[in-house]
Amino acid sequence: MQSLGNGVLVISSAYAPNDVVGAKRFTFLSEELHRQGLDVRVLTLAQRDSTKLDTSLPCLKHVYRSRLPLPYPVTPDSTVKKIYLRLLQRYIGIPDPYVSWLLTGLFTGYRLIRRHKVGVVIATTPYFTSVLMGALLSRFTGARLIIDYRDPLSGYDWPTRRGVNRTTPLTRWLEKRVVRSASAIVFVTEDMRRHFQRILGPYTRAPLHVITNGYHPTAELEPLYLDAGKVNLLYAGTFYGDRKLGLLLKPLDELIREGSVSADSVRIHIFGTLSVEDRNLLRELDQEHLIREHSKVDHTTILRYMKGADILFLLSGEDVTYALPYKLFDYLAAQRPILAIAPRNSAVAAFMEHVHCGELGIIDAPISTKDALSTILRKTSGYSFAETAAFQWKQLGERYANIIQALLLPTPPPLSITTRRTS
């Protein structure tokens, strides 16, 4: 079916100034697509009163926010709310607890496509509802569909969390139907593309592309420095799941007790929240003086602190081996050495082995982390970052725009073959 026009509609459950990490990919990509001359509009969820905002993030002029008829998440502080959450997460909320967004999002999206001559709809995960909405709008209007996988959906063996099961037979069936309607599919890592090709590749003829997350150069930002006279390690974010401060703290404690590192020479700065487990470990090792906790700050300010740090600490666990954490790209923007701890066969490990930006420790091999930490503490400079220019949003936006422009080209009519009768 012919597309309607040259406009682009992005469907993303979160968008600036929402400060959740899921908002950042298209907060920055939509800005770059706009710079490429595309008429970009964003459909996202209305902000709740409890939404944490980051006003330092860029925001397009044409952003449309539709409400969620069945609120989620909800604080389970009463019996009624607990019953509501259980019903939503286990029975009503299929394929995910945001499914009621279809009621308002489809209406708004259809109106936007018709009014602004949208020819391409980009629907991005992590929530299946966004992708299902994009597929339905594509079917109703003829606009081409790009599925943007920031995270896998039903094709990944997700653990059940907070009562939400993302891998039901229904969601698997729905995803197979949805990918059939895609005109292009984009992934944020090569690992995700390979996994999709193996599991869902037979159900689509759409070309598969890899466009990672990215960063903007920060030459104009002045660094904010931390403890003078110390080697300052910085971690931005919270610790949960496989991401434990102990993975860094135990090797550092060994180096201190061996005398290889002075306890007075190193500080670890956490812009986030320590877990109870990590606090207990700090007391057990008697190393609480190594840690400086900071309140969360906006995106621009944390970039300035990153530029002023000596080493940036990155964690990735066995539960997300396919992923390159978004903070990795913020770290690249700061151009400061990165100490990464990740599973051996993970996207992070592959990245660190091919990009000269720091050292890698293997999450289940503490000696490798100890060696990596020892090396980077001695060598807090000398990393070239030469390969990182390819991850700037400008270059990534150009590549994404090329995918969109190819879909906006008119589809040539089928060749008509005539036969001549001969006598």
Side-chain angles (χ1 to χ4, degrees):
M1 186 181 296
Q2 292 286 336
S3 61
L4 301 179
N6 293 326
V8 178
L9 176 65
V10 175
I11 303 174
S12 177
S13 59
Y15 186 79
N18 193 328
D19 77 340
V20 298
V21 69
K24 290 184 172 65
R25 177 167 173 82
F26 272 94
T27 290
F28 292 109
L29 264 178
S30 59
E31 180 188 40
E32 291 301 325
L33 296 176
H34 176 71
R35 285 179 181 152
Q36 292 293 317
L38 292 166
D39 179 19
V40 183
R41 295 164 196 277
V42 177
L43 173 58
T44 188
L45 278 168
Q47 292 166 179
R48 294 156 53 91
D49 293 339
S50 59
T51 301
K52 295 180 180 178
L53 306 182
D54 184 347
T55 55
S56 73
L57 295 172
C59 188
L60 284 184
K61 177 181 178 182
H62 300 300
V63 180
Y64 304 85
R65 303 180 189 274
S66 58
R67 66 185 181 86
L68 191 63
L70 296 177
Y72 187 84
V74 173
T75 304
D77 54 6
S78 70
T79 302
V80 172
K81 289 181 180 178
K82 289 176 182 177
I83 294 172
Y84 167 79
L85 276 176
R86 186 175 183 84
L87 289 173
L88 181 62
Q89 291 173 342
R90 291 186 177 273
Y91 305 106
I92 303 171
I94 297 173
D96 59 60
Y98 294 87
V99 69
S100 68
W101 189 26
L102 287 173
L103 300 175
T104 55
L106 284 173
F107 174 80
T108 304
Y110 186 86
R111 179 170 52 86
L112 290 173
I113 290 171
R114 291 301 191 194
R115 180 176 297 176
H116 301 288
K117 301 186 185 305
V118 169
V120 169
V121 173
I122 304 174
T124 184
T125 64
Y127 299 113
F128 196 106
T129 292
S130 303
V131 176
L132 183 57
M133 187 187 303
L136 290 171
L137 288 172
S138 172
R139 179 170 186 138
F140 295 157
T141 66
R144 303 293 182 87
L145 173 65
I146 298 176
I147 301 176
D148 185 275
Y149 279 95
R150 191 180 74 82
D151 281 312
L153 291 174
S154 67
Y156 184 75
D157 189 19
W158 289 99
T160 298
R161 290 179 179 168
R162 292 186 299 181
V164 180
N165 188 350
R166 299 169 70 173
T167 55
T168 65
L170 177 58
T171 55
R172 289 192 180 99
W173 179 82
L174 281 172
E175 188 169 10
K176 290 173 185 177
R177 300 281 296 181
V178 164
V179 299
R180 284 194 182 104
S181 65
S183 295
I185 303 177
V186 177
F187 306 87
V188 296
T189 67
E190 178 60 29
D191 287 51
M192 287 178 59
R193 189 202 65 78
R194 285 196 298 265
H195 181 80
F196 178 94
Q197 182 67 64
R198 186 170 65 253
I199 304 299
L200 292 168
Y203 299 96
T204 182
R205 295 182 179 179
L208 309 182
H209 307 271
V210 176
I211 296 181
T212 66
N213 287 316
Y215 72 94
H216 287 305
T218 58
E220 77 287 354
L221 291 181
E222 289 294 326
L224 288 174
Y225 295 101
L226 296 159
D227 286 3
K230 312 288 185 186
V231 177
N232 293 289
L233 291 86
L234 182 150
Y235 180 82
T238 56
F239 295 94
Y240 62 96
D242 292 340
R243 299 155 194 78
K244 296 179 173 65
L245 177 60
L247 292 167
L248 170 65
L249 196 60
K250 289 179 180 178
L252 178 57
D253 179 66
E254 288 184 28
L255 292 172
I256 290 171
R257 294 183 189 281
E258 291 172 1
S260 303
V261 174
S262 167
D264 292 331
S265 67
V266 179
R267 290 295 178 270
I268 302 172
H269 297 267
I270 308 298
F271 286 82
T273 305
L274 286 174
S275 68
V276 173
E277 179 183 349
D278 287 330
R279 293 187 190 281
N280 290 338
L281 179 62
L282 280 167
R283 285 192 292 270
E284 179 185 328
L285 297 176
D286 193 25
Q287 297 288 15
E288 293 165 284
H289 61 284
L290 293 175
I291 303 296
R292 297 286 184 271
E293 291 186 74
H294 303 264
S295 300
K296 190 173 181 180
V297 296
D298 65 42
H299 188 250
T300 298
T301 303
I302 193 61
L303 287 175
R304 294 180 66 194
Y305 276 116
M306 290 174 184
K307 290 188 71 172
D310 297 294
I311 299 168
L312 303 172
F313 179 43
L314 180 72
L315 277 171
S316 183
E318 293 284 357
D319 54 337
V320 286
T321 56
Y322 63 84
L324 291 174
Y326 193 87
K327 67 170 60 68
L328 169 61
F329 299 96
D330 283 342
Y331 288 178
L332 295 182
Q335 299 281 287
R336 302 302 299 145
I338 299 168
L339 173 64
I341 301 177
R344 191 178 309 276
N345 296 313
S346 65
V348 168
F351 185 94
M352 295 299 297
E353 288 168 359
H354 290 92
V355 179
H356 192 235
C357 61
E359 303 293 332
L360 171 68
I362 302 303
I363 199 167
D364 59 356
I367 188 64
S368 73
T369 299
K370 182 179 175 182
D371 291 342
L373 176 59
S374 179
T375 298
I376 206 168
L377 285 171
R378 294 194 311 269
K379 180 187 171 184
T380 54
S381 61
Y383 297 97
S384 70
F385 289 85
E387 306 90 343
T388 61
F391 299 100
Q392 292 183 19
W393 280 125
K394 183 177 186 296
Q395 283 80 357
L396 299 171
E398 289 173 356
R399 289 173 52 202
Y400 219 120
N402 289 337
I403 296 171
I404 295 168
Q405 295 286 10
L407 296 181
L408 290 172
L409 292 174
T411 304
L415 293 175
S416 60
I417 301 174
T418 59
T419 58
R420 297 179 60 186
R421 295 180 64 183
T422 58
S423 57

